Amino acid sequence: MNLVRRLRVSQLGSWITTFRPYSGKDKDKDKSKPDPKNKPKTVPKTEPKKDLPKAQVKTQDKDKAKGKANDKGNNKGNNKGTDKGKDKGQGKGEDEFGEADGFPKDTNKVTLINGEGVGPELMSAVQEVFKAAKAPIEWEVHDDFQVSPDNEDVSPAVLESLRKNRVGLKGPVESRHWQRHIRKQFNQFAYVSACKSIEGLNSPYGEFDMLIIRDQMEGDYSGIEHRVVPGVMQTIKVCTTNGAQRLARYVFLYATRNNRKKITVAHKANIMRMTDGNFLDAMQRQGDSYKQKIKFEDRYLDTVCLNMLMKPDQADVLTSSSMYGDVMRVIAGGMMGAVGICPGFSVSPLGTVFDCRMKSNLANPTGPLLASVLMLRHIKQDKFADRIECAIRKVFRDTDIRTKDMGGTATVSEFVEAVCDGLEDN
């Protein structure tokens, strides 16, 4: 038992070090304590103003006063936005999340990551449709998404392009290491899946339109696990208050901006009272700030999954920690009628990457095209987003053109040709 305790203490120590960036208190304390080894330097006396002409002295005084006023105004504006977001849970989306209003309307340069397998073919399909729609997008295409076959880190060229453009579209990438690396590099704390029924696809679930917003950094996906003793393994589920509150702010902000009426949080706080309990508490507190705008409810995970299948038309915005949300995303994607066609995006204050989390051997351009529609809406190109989405849905509604995974025989190029033909009619 002593050995087990020492191992747990050691693991918790490394965990605390890993998650110290979530809190700046210790950092501030260190700054406030003077270092006895470094004595404060004597500030040199400024030259008296009497040696300068009076006119020059007055000009300098005016410039200094003007500079102080500007600084004060800027700080006041910045603090005001931050405080308002913290206190009321609103008005902070642009600065904290880089969502919606964080991009100018004329943004048109996008990082395109081809990915692997059929990824290059699917990304070429997106480019072809955008060209037919005359969407004002300039692509920065990256074929080499990772450093090398022996190094699965994200390619430096890809990272630089995303940091510069702040918006990207990604093809399928199987590497879990690559996924974790890009999440950490851009602090992609949340993932949004837009799951909406498609008329014409064989699905027994009728019409539905649901958003699933899940944590992507904490919970069961924290990635902290170890072997306690031979034959006994342990994983640590992390849920920080700061992380839960940040996700809660984003969920309610995104829901209200997109005119959603209800938020349901899926949890197992009846069993994991500390971790899931902390997550649920953050959601409930944020829900109190929005009670006049949006309905909030909490349900056990199993109940949420059952209701998704039995009453899909009543699902609106579903949110949860990492693993629960991943399960719900897969279920909702299957409800759409085919695997890998549910579009989504990773949320980050440094930029947004759109994809559809599909397999690299799935030759179906529906998911990437729907993800590109979300991207267009994100950068305020709604007119082109509407045209492309209508053309995609028209193919399913009015034709029998389907790729092999949907029971048809159409190739990617044949499906894309049908979408381009639909663009001519709208």
Side-chain angles (χ1 to χ4, degrees):
M1 288 300 295
N2 290 334
L3 174 61
V4 173
R5 289 177 180 173
R6 285 199 296 271
L7 285 169
R8 288 181 175 174
V9 169
S10 175
Q11 287 295 328
L12 288 175
S14 64
W15 173 82
I16 292 171
T17 303
T18 302
F19 285 87
R20 189 171 293 279
Y22 281 104
S23 174
K25 294 181 180 180
D26 295 338
K27 188 176 180 182
D28 295 337
K29 288 181 180 180
D30 293 340
K31 288 183 178 180
S32 62
K33 293 181 180 180
D35 190 348
K37 295 181 180 180
N38 299 327
K39 295 182 179 180
K41 297 180 180 180
T42 305
V43 180
K45 296 182 179 180
T46 56
E47 293 294 330
K49 294 182 180 180
K50 63 181 180 180
D51 294 337
L52 298 173
K54 292 183 179 180
Q56 190 174 349
V57 172
K58 290 181 179 180
T59 302
Q60 289 184 354
D61 292 341
K62 288 181 179 180
D63 291 340
K64 288 180 180 179
K66 185 177 180 180
K68 289 180 179 179
N70 289 337
D71 292 340
K72 185 177 181 181
N74 291 335
N75 292 334
K76 184 178 180 181
N78 292 336
N79 293 335
K80 184 177 180 180
T82 303
D83 293 341
K84 188 176 181 180
K86 288 181 179 179
D87 295 340
K88 298 184 179 181
Q90 304 176 42
K92 197 179 176 184
E94 298 89 337
D95 296 333
E96 186 179 11
F97 307 121
E99 266 304 304
D101 297 336
F103 291 88
K105 291 185 178 181
D106 59 351
T107 298
N108 64 354
K109 188 169 286 189
V110 175
T111 300
L112 185 68
I113 306 170
N114 275 333
E116 58 188 332
V118 297
E121 182 181 8
L122 297 177
M123 295 300 102
S124 294
V126 172
Q127 293 177 75
E128 186 177 344
V129 171
F130 272 50
K131 184 177 180 180
K134 297 180 180 180
I137 298 298
E138 179 182 347
W139 303 102
E140 283 191 7
V141 182
H142 293 269
D143 295 314
D144 300 325
F145 62 93
Q146 62 186 40
V147 176
S148 68
D150 298 328
N151 187 344
E152 294 184 346
D153 286 352
V154 183
S155 166
V158 170
L159 293 176
E160 181 182 356
S161 179
L162 285 173
R163 289 191 180 103
K164 179 181 64 176
N165 298 329
R166 297 188 65 203
V167 60
L169 181 67
K170 180 178 74 65
V173 176
E174 299 284 355
S175 171
R176 296 299 178 190
H177 176 84
W178 192 93
Q179 301 284 1
R180 286 194 298 269
H181 189 209
I182 197 170
R183 279 203 300 267
K184 291 180 180 179
Q185 285 289 320
F186 287 91
N187 192 16
Q188 295 175 338
F189 67 93
Y191 189 83
V192 179
S193 300
C195 306
K196 187 176 182 179
S197 56
I198 299 177
E199 185 182 355
L201 273 182
N202 292 327
S203 174
Y205 301 100
E207 294 185 6
F208 59 87
D209 182 4
M210 65 182 79
L211 289 174
I212 300 173
I213 307 178
R214 68 175 179 88
D215 176 86
Q216 201 169 228
M217 298 287 285
E218 298 186 356
D220 297 287
Y221 285 1
S222 303
I224 304 174
E225 57 180 0
H226 61 279
R227 181 177 286 102
V228 181
V229 294
V232 179
M233 278 64 72
Q234 184 181 59
T235 184
I236 298 177
K237 177 174 179 175
V238 176
C239 182
T240 67
T241 300
N242 285 347
Q245 290 177 345
R246 176 173 62 174
L247 184 68
R249 289 195 299 270
Y250 178 78
V251 169
F252 279 87
L253 181 66
Y254 190 83
T256 52
R257 280 181 172 174
N258 289 274
N259 300 315
R260 296 288 178 159
K261 304 301 180 184
K262 182 176 69 172
I263 293 175
T264 304
V265 57
H267 65 92
K268 294 297 289 183
N270 57 322
I271 299 173
M272 286 161 280
R273 298 184 180 182
M274 295 185 69
T275 51
D276 279 24
N278 183 62
F279 185 89
L280 177 59
D281 182 66
M283 289 293 171
Q284 289 174 333
R285 288 176 180 273
Q286 197 68 20
D288 291 340
S289 301
Y290 283 83
K291 62 174 62 177
Q292 301 299 326
K293 297 181 179 180
I294 196 164
K295 181 182 178 181
F296 173 78
E297 64 181 18
D298 70 274
R299 298 287 185 271
Y300 295 146
L301 172 65
D302 40 354
T303 302
V304 172
C305 291
L306 179 63
N307 289 339
M308 286 174 63
L309 298 171
M310 300 296 291
K311 307 172 184 177
D313 59 315
Q314 296 183 18
D316 196 351
V317 178
L318 310 177
T319 184
S320 72
S321 60
S322 55
M323 184 178 289
Y324 304 162
D326 218 3
V327 172
M328 293 190 296
R329 175 188 65 83
V330 173
I331 292 175
M335 291 168 60
M336 292 178 67
V339 178
I341 64 172
C342 180
F345 57 92
S346 294
V347 183
S348 163
L350 304 176
T352 309
V353 179
F354 296 80
D355 61 11
C356 61
R357 299 293 168 91
M358 65 191 304
K359 297 294 183 180
S360 60
N361 61 349
L362 181 62
N364 185 342
T366 306
L369 285 171
L370 291 175
S372 70
V373 168
L374 291 179
M375 182 203 71
L376 285 171
R377 298 196 191 284
H378 179 72
I379 60 176
K380 308 292 186 174
Q381 297 290 353
D382 294 313
K383 179 178 71 173
F384 296 98
D386 290 340
R387 287 192 63 210
I388 294 174
E389 184 174 6
C390 286
I392 296 169
R393 292 183 176 276
K394 183 177 181 180
V395 172
F396 287 106
R397 185 182 66 246
D398 301 339
T399 76
D400 59 354
I401 298 175
R402 305 287 188 272
T403 52
K404 291 182 179 180
D405 60 304
M406 295 179 176
T409 59
T411 62
V412 171
S413 58
E414 289 172 342
F415 187 90
V416 169
E417 184 180 356
V419 173
C420 291
D421 290 341
L423 286 169
E424 296 178 0
D425 301 331
N426 58 42

